[in-house]
Amino acid sequence: MKVFNTMSRTKEEFVPVDENEVKIYACGPTVYNYIHIGNARPLCVFDVLRRYLEYRGYNVKFVQNFTDIDDKIIKRANEEGKTFEEISEKYIEEFWTDAHGLNFKDATVHPKATENIDEIIDIIKSLEEKGYAYAVNGDVYFRTLKFNEYGKLSHQPIEDLESGARIAVGEVKEDPLDFALWKGAKEGEPYWESPWGKGRPGWHIECSAMNRKYLGNTIDIHCGGQDLVFPHHENEIAQSECANGCTFSKYWMHNGYINVDNVKMSKSLGNFKTVREIAEVYGYEVIRYFLISSHYRSPINYSLEIIEQCKSALERLYTCRESLDFAVKNASVDKADNDELLINMLDERRNQFITAMDDDLNTADGLAAIFDLTKDINTKILDKGVSKAVCEHAASLFDELCGVLGILYNRKENSVDSEIEALIEKRQEARKNKDWATADKIRDDLKAKGIILKDTPQGVTWTKE
């Protein structure tokens, strides 16, 4: 497998640090609001990464954090007259509603910043002792220029970074590029006791501390949205490598931005889309499909037209899978001479899928392989009266590949009441007796009830409109 490493800007062969375990850290949400589709893209993309590595036989330790103390959380709490804990816990619960709706697999660990204050203080103390951090009036800053590799992830010359750096009101820094590791508490703000007085952690340091605690000094993959490359991930590298004295992450993977109707999504433009509001109309699975339908590094455009196309694509997959259920149930148990040939044909789609996914997690081509499999099933399996063994193999392979992408997770058993079952049976009798008028009337009556019939070599299949 090859992955595009943001650090080297090239595709590199994926070789984990420890052959027995792949360690992945994904930056999680700051919990002060519902997640938007920009948050959901890395959630779904790197969930697929984890699933695919497990599918390929790796044991994966996957950590995703919650930032549950932050300026935005404090601001929201003050606006609503609540504590920061009430705000963060509320939106963690809302996150889980959306994440599970998107079929996100829970991480191995979901640490919170506030649960790791001791670890955060320890890493800041280590940086201070080594001369990489300094305290001023209760704040602690990182000496950015002391880390001579600063900018290596974002590939920006230090001169360019310096020209864009500013010192905010209230900050007392040695250099504009220095960033906060610890913030002294202002009046009325939540705080924790520390060697530098009452305060709370800066945003960047929490991830370095939790990485080290749960995954060790060097991890395999650090991932997140493209917007995190600078300054968040750049600062994480500086903190972690100065504190630990070794490479922080072997590979860096970042997903592209989301546009809305071909305009970059942003709150200021009013084109901000939450997962919840889209799911209320289309359901969660259409969103997941949309987010993995393009290569993860490419920008992706959200529009109602595209969402409708995703909905139709999913319906095609569901129809194929439901038809396979019927075929398995009704197919002959007898083996046929062409069984091996058909099974080998199907297995080529697995190879096609793996080739795509091994090429930097190309989910777009992975989906193409699944649709090629769907075409094979529709044209060479379902309408040909093949053996039960072939039908079962097709169903198993279909589930296998869709499972890696985390789609088709809302399958339901077909259920029709006794009246409809009786009508289907009556129509079959009419057809046997060549009473075509009665058969056609029953078919039309069922269509009026939203039941669409399809005659196949294995019998009658049906779907609901």
Side-chain angles (χ1 to χ4, degrees):
M1 181 180 185
K2 290 188 175 181
V3 299
F4 184 89
N5 190 350
T6 307
M7 182 70 75
S8 65
R9 290 187 172 181
T10 60
K11 287 184 187 177
E12 299 179 13
E13 194 73 32
F14 177 68
V15 181
V17 175
D18 180 347
E19 63 181 16
N20 296 315
E21 184 175 65
V22 176
K23 298 175 180 179
I24 304 176
Y25 188 94
C27 287
T30 300
V31 283
Y32 71 101
N33 206 341
Y34 296 98
I35 62 170
H36 54 70
I37 53 174
N39 303 133
R41 192 177 192 190
L43 196 70
C44 292
V45 162
F46 299 119
D47 178 65
V48 172
L49 172 66
R50 181 226 190 137
R51 288 170 183 264
Y52 185 65
L53 289 170
E54 290 175 340
Y55 173 69
R56 298 289 274 150
Y58 291 104
N59 178 34
V60 179
K61 188 171 184 181
F62 186 80
V63 176
Q64 185 186 60
N65 72 301
F66 288 115
T67 296
D68 61 340
I69 182 66
D70 173 88
D71 289 339
K72 294 173 183 176
I73 296 171
I74 294 170
K75 182 176 183 290
R76 186 71 179 255
N78 290 337
E79 288 171 350
E80 297 189 13
K82 296 179 179 178
T83 65
F84 86 90
E85 293 98 336
E86 288 174 319
I87 294 296
S88 62
E89 287 304 315
K90 172 187 175 179
Y91 286 107
I92 286 172
E93 287 303 310
E94 299 294 358
F95 166 86
W96 283 124
T97 296
D98 290 334
H100 290 152
L102 291 166
N103 201 28
F104 173 75
K105 227 175 133 178
D106 290 7
T108 314
V109 187
H110 279 281
K112 301 173 185 175
T114 58
E115 295 172 342
N116 292 276
I117 298 297
D118 289 345
E119 288 76 19
I120 291 168
I121 289 173
D122 283 346
I123 199 169
I124 296 173
K125 285 169 64 178
S126 171
L127 289 167
E128 190 177 35
E129 289 165 4
K130 293 179 178 182
Y132 289 104
Y134 60 95
V136 183
N137 300 333
D139 297 332
V140 183
Y141 295 99
F142 183 86
R143 284 191 174 96
T144 301
L145 294 180
K146 189 173 174 63
F147 180 56
N148 58 19
E149 293 184 279
Y150 193 78
K152 65 180 178 178
L153 181 68
S154 53
H155 301 274
Q156 298 185 69
I158 200 72
E159 297 80 12
D160 292 350
L161 296 174
E162 284 180 311
S163 66
R166 298 288 183 271
I167 297 179
V169 175
E171 291 185 318
V172 185
K173 300 191 291 188
E174 294 176 356
D175 187 272
L177 270 180
D178 295 350
F179 56 89
L181 302 172
W182 186 264
K183 297 181 177 182
K186 298 183 179 71
E187 185 67 31
E189 286 188 346
Y191 63 84
W192 287 262
E193 297 290 348
S194 80
W196 313 282
K198 297 174 180 179
R200 57 188 171 88
W203 175 36
H204 313 297
I205 194 65
E206 66 180 71
C207 289
S208 288
M210 288 185 277
N211 258 292
R212 187 165 78 171
K213 178 179 179 180
Y214 296 102
L215 295 174
N217 289 351
T218 300
I219 66 173
D220 293 293
I221 301 172
H222 199 313
C223 49
Q226 185 179 335
D227 57 311
L228 297 181
V229 173
F230 184 87
H232 185 51
H233 288 166
E234 197 75 75
N235 291 351
E236 278 190 67
I237 291 170
Q239 297 161 164
S240 294
E241 296 193 355
C242 291
N244 303 331
C246 57
T247 298
F248 177 35
S249 181
K250 193 171 180 182
Y251 305 93
W252 291 84
M253 297 177 71
H254 295 92
N255 63 270
Y257 291 113
I258 291 185
N259 298 322
V260 175
D261 295 323
N262 295 308
V263 178
K264 184 178 175 182
M265 187 180 74
S266 71
K267 291 180 181 177
S268 61
L269 294 174
N271 62 351
F272 182 83
K273 300 290 182 181
T274 67
V275 169
R276 188 70 54 89
E277 64 183 318
I278 300 171
E280 285 172 354
V281 179
Y282 291 98
Y284 285 101
E285 189 171 10
V286 174
I287 301 171
R288 182 181 179 100
Y289 184 95
F290 161 68
L291 293 170
I292 65 169
S293 61
S294 299
H295 192 282
Y296 76 94
R297 285 192 287 114
S298 301
I300 190 169
N301 185 55
Y302 171 90
S303 70
L304 294 182
E305 180 184 2
I306 291 170
I307 287 293
E308 289 287 354
Q309 290 170 1
C310 292
K311 180 183 175 185
S312 297
L314 272 172
E315 287 170 354
R316 183 182 168 200
L317 295 179
Y318 271 104
T319 298
C320 178
R321 189 59 185 85
E322 288 164 5
S323 299
L324 275 172
D325 276 341
F326 185 86
V328 168
K329 182 179 177 182
N330 293 280
S332 167
V333 295
D334 298 331
K335 289 190 175 181
D337 293 339
N338 64 343
D339 276 10
E340 185 176 352
L341 184 66
L342 288 172
I343 287 172
N344 288 340
M345 173 199 72
L346 294 170
D347 286 347
E348 278 304 305
R349 298 307 181 193
R350 179 193 287 113
N351 296 335
Q352 180 185 345
F353 178 84
I354 289 172
T355 298
M357 298 292 281
D358 273 353
D359 183 15
D360 192 30
L361 203 71
N362 193 332
T363 54
D365 285 356
L367 277 169
I370 291 175
F371 276 101
D372 286 342
L373 173 64
T374 300
K375 182 179 179 182
D376 290 342
I377 291 169
N378 287 334
T379 60
K380 300 173 184 177
I381 306 295
L382 295 177
D383 294 334
K384 303 300 180 183
V386 300
S387 72
K388 184 181 286 288
V390 171
C391 292
E392 288 177 335
H393 187 81
S396 176
L397 178 59
F398 194 89
D399 291 345
E400 175 187 320
L401 302 188
C402 288
V404 175
L405 297 184
I407 57 174
L408 262 66
Y409 56 92
N410 286 312
R411 285 185 60 218
K412 295 180 178 64
E413 292 296 322
N414 283 342
S415 60
V416 290
D417 59 30
S418 57
E419 178 190 355
I420 295 176
E421 288 178 351
L423 284 170
I424 292 174
E425 185 62 33
K426 187 176 178 181
R427 178 176 178 269
Q428 290 299 89
E429 274 303 309
R431 285 167 59 84
K432 284 179 185 177
N433 297 328
K434 298 185 178 181
D435 182 357
W436 308 118
T438 299
D440 289 346
K441 184 177 184 306
I442 292 171
R443 181 197 61 208
D444 292 341
D445 289 345
L446 286 171
K447 185 175 181 180
K449 296 175 184 288
I451 304 296
I452 306 301
L453 302 184
K454 181 182 179 183
D455 297 304
T456 76
Q458 291 86 18
V460 181
T461 65
W462 61 269
T463 55
K464 285 186 177 181
E465 282 188 316

